[in-house]
């Protein structure tokens, strides 16, 4: 029993949604079921807002069409769906993303974490965390700004060009551009990590100054490495922007032609 | 603030949007259900979604796909 709902009742509703034969009574039941996530949703989003001082955009209830599409796409049951309610955070880069995940892990009863940076889903990169509250799962999506731009582009293409684009299908030209952009995002994340690493090493050497003999040549080497990686980061952004602009132009043309 | 959005996926455009104060969550949920039922009765398959954000600009940032065209979706990537 899921707080007033029998699991079998919810799963039968899911089967009707999957088949596309939905009555008004079904929509009312789905509405009641989604509303039962409101309390847990408010509690979890409240923690994100107050403890982390972040402003997520919340989605108190997944849309009927999104639920239907997911049921039709996957073999999942409605009662198993982890993202009926949730929120999204867009952060600056992978370091902030890691820090946010760590704090959330400590602040909430986390049921699962899916790191799509390690295993991207058809190019989609992000971290999804499911927090449990009063027996209800609440999904928190944490994306970097670049991962978010990619995701929005992919979702928009899925909306207006072909819904299967998000899941590895659709026109080859679009698919290929999205793949290239996803790889460029990944490269940029690696460069950002390298840049932060060199900065940390440089700070550590600076901190040691005056306490012990330090090697001036090491300092010079690190400074030069920092400049080099910084240039690579800037070039990476340019390359990524070029891929994204090409993807946008291609998608835009495609939209008009179709 | 809560935002009730009616989105036509196939053309990628928002067809209607209504905002509610955060305190009116039940009213917003009722409006979502009413809109969904009305669209169903008219045989219109639009996505109806309720989102909560600090303000419209926060909403446009995290759910740009609803509001932006391909031409503007990835602008400012390197900034």
């Amino acid at each position: 029993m899921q707080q007033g709902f029998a699991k079998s009742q919810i799963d039968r509703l899911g089967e009707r949604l999957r088949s596309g034969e939905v009555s008004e009574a079904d929509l009312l039941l789905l509405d009641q079921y989604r509303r039962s996530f409101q309390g847990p949703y408010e509690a979890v989003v409240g923690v994100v807002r107050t403890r982390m001082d972040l402003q997520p955009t919340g989605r108190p209830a997944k849309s009927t069409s999104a639920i239907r599409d997911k049921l039709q796409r996957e073999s999942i049951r409605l009662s198993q769906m982890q993202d009926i309610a949730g929120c999204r955070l867009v952060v600056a880069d992978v370091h902030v993303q890691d820090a946010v995940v760590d704090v959330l892990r400590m602040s909430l009863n986390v049921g699962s974490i899916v790191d799509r940076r390690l295993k991207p889903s058809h190019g989609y990169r992000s971290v999804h965390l499911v927090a449990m509250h009063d027996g209800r799962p609440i999904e928190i999506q944490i994306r970097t700004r670049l991962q978010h731009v990619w995701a929005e582009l992919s979702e928009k293409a899925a909306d207006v060009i072909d819904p299967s684009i998000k899941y590895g299908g659709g026109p080859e030209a679009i698919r290929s551009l999205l793949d290239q952009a996803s790889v460029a995002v990944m490269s940029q994340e690696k460069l950002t990590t390298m840049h932060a690493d060199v900065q940390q090493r440089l700070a550590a050497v600076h901190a040691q100054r005056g306490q012990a003999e330090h090697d001036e040549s090491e300092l010079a080497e690190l400074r030069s490495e920092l400049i080099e990686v910084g240039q690579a980061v800037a070039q990476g952004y340019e390359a990524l922007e070029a891929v994204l602009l090409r993807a946008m132009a291609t998608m835009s043309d495609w939209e008009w032609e179709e | 603030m809560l935002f009730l959005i009616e989105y036509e996926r196939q053309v990628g455009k928002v067809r209607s949007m209504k905002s509610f104060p955060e305190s009116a969550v039940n009213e917003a949920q009722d409006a979502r259900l009413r809109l969904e039922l009305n669209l169903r009765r008219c045989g219109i398959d639009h996505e109806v979604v309720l989102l909560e954000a600090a303000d419209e600009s926060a909403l446009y940032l995290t759910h740009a796909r609803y509001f932006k065209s391909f031409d503007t979706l990835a602008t400012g990537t390197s900034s």
Side-chain angles (χ1 to χ4, degrees):
Chain A
M1 188 80 97
Q2 285 199 346
Q3 290 173 352
F5 299 93
K7 204 162 159 272
S8 57
Q9 177 191 24
I10 296 307
D11 288 335
R12 280 199 300 274
L13 170 64
E15 284 312 310
R16 294 194 292 277
L17 283 162
R18 197 193 304 271
S19 72
E21 290 167 18
V22 184
S23 66
E24 283 203 8
D26 287 333
L27 287 180
L28 290 169
L29 177 59
L30 182 61
D31 181 61
Q32 285 168 18
Y33 181 58
R34 284 185 294 207
R35 285 187 199 221
S36 71
F37 286 73
Q38 186 64 30
Y41 161 80
E42 283 174 6
V44 169
V45 171
V47 168
V48 175
R49 285 204 178 114
T50 55
R51 288 208 199 154
M52 305 186 66
D53 200 22
L54 289 170
Q55 282 298 335
T57 296
R59 191 199 55 194
K62 194 177 180 79
S63 72
T64 301
S65 49
I67 290 175
R68 180 197 60 206
D69 292 351
K70 189 164 189 168
L71 287 166
Q72 289 175 344
R73 200 173 58 240
E74 299 173 16
S75 57
I76 191 172
R77 293 199 295 266
L78 180 55
S79 66
Q80 295 175 316
M81 221 175 259
Q82 304 278 293
D83 59 348
I84 294 285
C87 66
R88 178 178 296 164
L89 287 161
V90 179
V91 299
D93 57 34
V94 279
H95 304 293
V96 183
Q97 189 173 36
D98 285 337
V100 166
V101 171
D102 282 346
V103 176
L104 288 174
R105 204 200 309 249
M106 287 185 283
S107 311
L108 295 163
N109 175 23
V110 174
S112 66
I113 297 176
V114 178
D115 191 339
R116 290 264 171 239
R117 297 170 303 181
L118 303 175
K119 200 179 171 190
S121 171
H122 306 291
Y124 176 65
R125 306 173 63 76
S126 76
V127 181
H128 286 197
L129 180 152
V130 175
M132 298 302 296
H133 192 97
D134 285 347
R136 289 278 192 264
I138 306 296
E139 186 192 70
I140 305 173
Q141 297 178 355
I142 308 120
R143 296 175 177 173
T144 66
R145 203 163 46 84
L146 292 180
Q147 291 164 359
H148 179 60
V149 167
W150 186 95
E152 293 279 80
L153 206 52
S154 162
E155 282 166 11
K156 189 86 184 181
D159 287 339
V160 302
I161 296 173
D162 185 334
S164 69
I165 283 174
K166 262 171 86 177
Y167 306 100
E172 180 51 35
I174 306 286
R175 193 59 264 149
S176 163
L177 280 166
L178 282 170
D179 286 345
Q180 284 175 44
S182 176
V183 169
V185 170
M186 181 189 65
S187 304
Q188 201 59 13
E189 286 168 7
K190 283 185 178 165
L191 284 170
T192 309
T193 303
M194 276 170 67
H195 193 253
D197 178 54
V198 181
Q199 273 179 323
Q200 266 180 10
R201 279 157 48 207
L202 195 58
V205 171
H206 271 298
Q208 282 169 7
R209 274 183 123 173
Q211 292 173 11
E213 279 291 309
H214 62 273
D215 187 352
E216 280 298 333
S217 65
E218 187 189 356
L219 205 58
E221 214 172 277
L222 277 171
R223 280 184 184 137
S224 128
E225 199 180 333
L226 188 66
I227 292 168
E228 214 171 284
V229 180
Q231 282 168 345
V233 169
Q235 283 165 3
Y237 271 121
E238 277 175 31
L240 175 59
E241 190 157 48
V243 174
L244 288 171
L245 288 172
R246 205 160 65 240
M248 286 192 307
T250 307
M251 288 175 192
S252 195
D253 290 346
W254 200 287
E255 185 185 8
W256 282 106
E257 281 165 19
E258 290 299 297
Chain B
M1 282 187 88
L2 292 154
F3 299 91
L4 177 63
I5 297 167
E6 178 193 348
Y7 178 67
E8 189 174 356
R9 272 187 182 178
Q10 288 78 6
V11 293
K13 285 194 165 60
V14 168
R15 290 306 178 201
S16 70
M17 185 163 106
K18 194 178 173 189
S19 61
F20 300 83
E22 217 167 296
S23 56
V25 61
N26 286 332
E27 195 188 320
Q29 300 268 29
D30 291 345
R32 176 176 60 79
L33 178 62
R34 265 198 314 277
L35 177 58
E36 203 161 77
L37 290 171
N38 284 339
L39 289 170
R40 184 185 180 276
R41 285 169 196 150
C42 299
I44 298 170
D45 186 19
H46 287 177
E47 180 172 3
V48 178
V49 66
L50 190 62
L51 296 171
E52 184 183 17
D55 50 35
E56 274 192 40
S57 59
L59 181 70
Y60 291 169
L61 170 75
T62 56
H63 289 76
R65 105 178 208 259
Y66 289 130
F67 308 100
K68 289 185 172 182
S69 65
F70 280 124
D71 301 333
T72 55
L73 213 47
T75 47
T77 307
S78 58
S79 59

